[in-house]
């Protein structure tokens, strides 16, 4: 290793202090076993209880790779075919304008069913949780057609088609929680047992992930935690005040999307197994074919992340990295693994914060790169975009509160109002732009990729969601 563990520890401590987050746990695992594991900050602020690598956190959308893996295991065992249409499992589901046979399990797992960002997950959280007094909650309650507590209600909503489909199935990637809700129930039907039980029997128990569970209301996680489970933190930046509670978000039909609870140590076991194509401690606990189906050679390897089945794949430090992020109330998470067999996880108990830089530090340590190396895939080039007027307009998403990205061209500068965040677009080649904060150009806000039709942009992918021109 280029760096020693004391250097890594000191660097992470300093970064955590600079960010000012509430609590966090990290883990790095390699062929030699656990390389570095520790916690930072607190899991419970009132009692000043520290977080550690065995503290149970939510992992939110990092759960998706487990649902995808379950589908791929069942495919390898002949219990389903990932190229089957979703109508085999939900005969009443029809995506507007899409041939049923083209909306396959694989297309859905890759977020390429043509679905734009939609509100059912946010409706489900609001309608099945405690009452709140904020604009988001009031909008959700006002607009929700029902409690969004069953998969049939999601199927009905998607089939009604009160939204503009992005493209034909397979053409455009746009992140869709609704698709992974469907896949959760596909696993139930194909396996003959619930997704919860399938993950327990086929993943958690064989890997020794004794502090991991898929449960809706966190009751099972609390029982296995023996007190070492985090509270959930949010920060009011206007008041500069930190709030916390123990109200885990409940979103019944979105089980396989976001409902796994785990630890940093357990999650690196999971990712290490995937890095070794299903092997763990000398045993093939997951069919090699299943991992190949998830992330294998058919998916392109490039600097821009490509979403495979439940994980993105891209080049970092000259090699393939597979990873996923997650975010919910009191949850900001990210984890993955390198092609050289190192796995890394960062779990934070504060909502809506960026933990990617911490994961980069762990990767850098494993790859023997300088610890402060950045790995942005969208990098500005030394020239300007020739047709800025093609991009100007208002782009819209229905997910959560109505969200807008407004692109303007002012005094020779492309600017963005990205859901209220003021940014400047830095050209990166093609139709790709890095978005930096207008007041602090060193702060990266997002990456945008525009889609052109008839001489103007009809949509923009903001990070991983495609917003359509109003």
């Amino acid at each position: 290793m280029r760096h020693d563990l004391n250097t890594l520890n000191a660097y992470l401590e300093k970064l955590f202090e600079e960010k000012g987050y509430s609590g966090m746990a990290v883990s790095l695992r390699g062929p030699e076993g656990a390389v570095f594991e520790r916690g930072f900050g607190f899991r419970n602020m009132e009692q000043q209880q520290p977080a550690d690598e065995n503290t149970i956190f939510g992992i939110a959308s990092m759960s998706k790779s487990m649902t995808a893996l379950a589908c791929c295991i069942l495919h390898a065992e002949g219990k389903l075919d990932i190229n089957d249409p979703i109508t085999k499992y939900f005969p009443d589901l029809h995506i507007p304008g899409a041939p049923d046979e083209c909306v396959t399990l694989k297309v859905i797992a890759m977020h390429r069913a043509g679905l734009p960002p939609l509100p059912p997950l946010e409706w489900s959280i609001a309608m099945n949780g405690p009452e709140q007094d904020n604009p988001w909650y009031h909008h959700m309650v006002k607009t929700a057609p029902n409690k969004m507590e069953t998969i049939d209600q999601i199927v009905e909503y998607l089939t009604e088609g009160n939204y503009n489909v992005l493209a034909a199935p397979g053409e455009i990637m746009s992140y869709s929680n609704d698709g992974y809700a469907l896949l959760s129930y596909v696993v139930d039907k194909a396996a003959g047992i619930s997704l919860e039980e399938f993950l327990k029997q086929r993943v958690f128990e064989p890997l020794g992930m004794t502090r991991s569970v898929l449960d809706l209301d966190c009751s099972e996680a609390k029982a296995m935690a023996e007190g070492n489970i985090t509270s959930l933190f949010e920060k009011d930046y206007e008041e500069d005040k930190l709030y916390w509670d123990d109200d885990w978000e409940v979103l019944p039909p979105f089980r396989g999307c976001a409902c796994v609870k785990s630890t940093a140590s357990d999650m690196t076991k999971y990712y290490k197994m995937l890095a070794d194509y299903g092997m763990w401690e000398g045993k093939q606990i997951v069919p090699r074919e299943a991992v190949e189906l998830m992330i294998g050679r058919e998916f392109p390897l490039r600097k821009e992340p490509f979403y495979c089945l439940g994980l993105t794949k891209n080049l970092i430090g000259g090699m393939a990295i597979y990873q996923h992020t997650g975010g919910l109330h009191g949850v900001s998470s990210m984890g993955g693994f390198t092609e050289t067999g190192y796995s890394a996880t960062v779990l934070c108990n504060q909502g809506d914060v960026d933990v990617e830089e911490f994961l980069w530090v762990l990767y850098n340590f494993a790859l023997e790169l300088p610890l402060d190396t950045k790995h942005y895939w969208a990098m500005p080039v030394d020239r300007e975009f020739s047709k800025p007027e093609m991009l100007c307009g208002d782009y819209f998403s229905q997910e959560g509160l109505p969200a807008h990205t407004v692109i303007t061209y002012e005094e020779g500068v492309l600017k963005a109002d990205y859901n209220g965040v003021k940014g400047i677009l830095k050209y990166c080649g093609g139709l790709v732009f890095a978005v930096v904060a207008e007041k602090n150009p060193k702060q990266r806000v997002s990456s945008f990729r525009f889609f052109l039709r008839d001489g103007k942009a009809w949509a923009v992918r903001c990070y991983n969601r495609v917003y359509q021109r109003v």
Side-chain angles (χ1 to χ4, degrees), residues 64 66-68 70-71 74 80 84-96 100 102-116 118 120-121 148-160 163 176-191 193-196 214 251-258:
K64 288 183 172 67
M66 297 178 179
T67 300
C71 289
L74 292 168
L80 63 72
D84 278 338
I86 190 67
T87 50
K88 178 175 179 179
Y89 297 91
F90 295 99
D92 295 332
L93 174 60
H94 307 285
I95 305 300
D100 288 342
C102 295
V103 186
T104 65
L105 306 184
K106 182 177 181 178
V107 162
I108 290 171
M110 295 174 68
H111 298 294
R112 289 177 178 263
L115 296 172
L118 295 170
L121 178 139
M148 283 293 164
E149 60 185 340
T150 70
I151 194 63
D152 290 338
Q153 289 168 335
I154 294 177
V155 169
E156 181 181 4
Y157 173 81
L158 294 177
T159 301
E160 285 175 351
Y163 52 89
S176 172
N177 286 300
D178 312 288
Y180 270 81
L182 297 170
L183 293 177
S184 304
Y185 291 84
V186 168
V187 173
D188 295 347
K189 296 178 181 183
I193 56 176
S194 68
L195 173 62
E196 289 83 348
L214 169 56
L251 45 163
F254 292 90
R255 309 141 55 215
C257 294

Side-chain angles (χ1 to χ4, degrees), residues 70-80 82 287-291 293:
C71 289
C72 292
I73 292 171
L74 292 168
H75 176 104
E77 295 176 348
K79 295 176 182 178
L80 63 72
I82 61 171
R288 182 180 180 89
E289 180 189 356
V291 184
L293 284 168

Side-chain angles (χ1 to χ4, degrees), residues 265-280:
S265 185
D266 271 7
M267 287 304 299
T268 52
K269 294 178 183 178
Y270 169 72
Y271 287 129
K272 182 69 175 88
M273 177 272 294
L274 292 179
D276 293 335
Y277 275 78
M279 291 288 292
W280 177 252

Side-chain angles (χ1 to χ4, degrees), residues 332-365:
S332 296
S333 61
M334 194 168 186
F337 57 94
T338 73
E339 65 174 278
T340 54
Y342 283 89
S343 61
T345 300
V346 180
L347 303 180
C348 181
N349 56 15
Q350 186 173 327
D352 200 28
V353 298
D354 186 2
V355 299
E356 188 171 28
E357 192 172 350
F358 291 89
L359 194 69
W360 287 346
V361 173
L362 297 174
Y363 287 152
N364 290 337
F365 184 85

Side-chain angles (χ1 to χ4, degrees), residues 9-68:
N9 185 65
Y11 191 96
L12 287 169
E13 276 190 344
K14 183 174 184 294
L15 182 60
F16 181 77
E17 290 174 5
E18 290 173 354
K19 297 290 187 181
Y21 297 163
S22 49
M24 177 182 289
V26 305
S27 176
L28 175 66
R29 189 177 298 271
E32 64 271 52
V35 176
F36 181 84
E37 296 183 324
R38 68 158 290 186
F40 301 88
F42 298 98
R43 69 179 192 264
N44 182 298
M45 200 65 75
E46 291 178 335
Q47 300 174 26
Q48 296 287 290
Q49 294 173 314
D52 60 40
E53 67 273 16
N54 294 312
T55 299
I56 293 180
F57 291 75
I59 70 167
S61 287
M62 286 167 64
S63 308
K64 288 183 172 67
S65 74
M66 297 178 179
T67 300

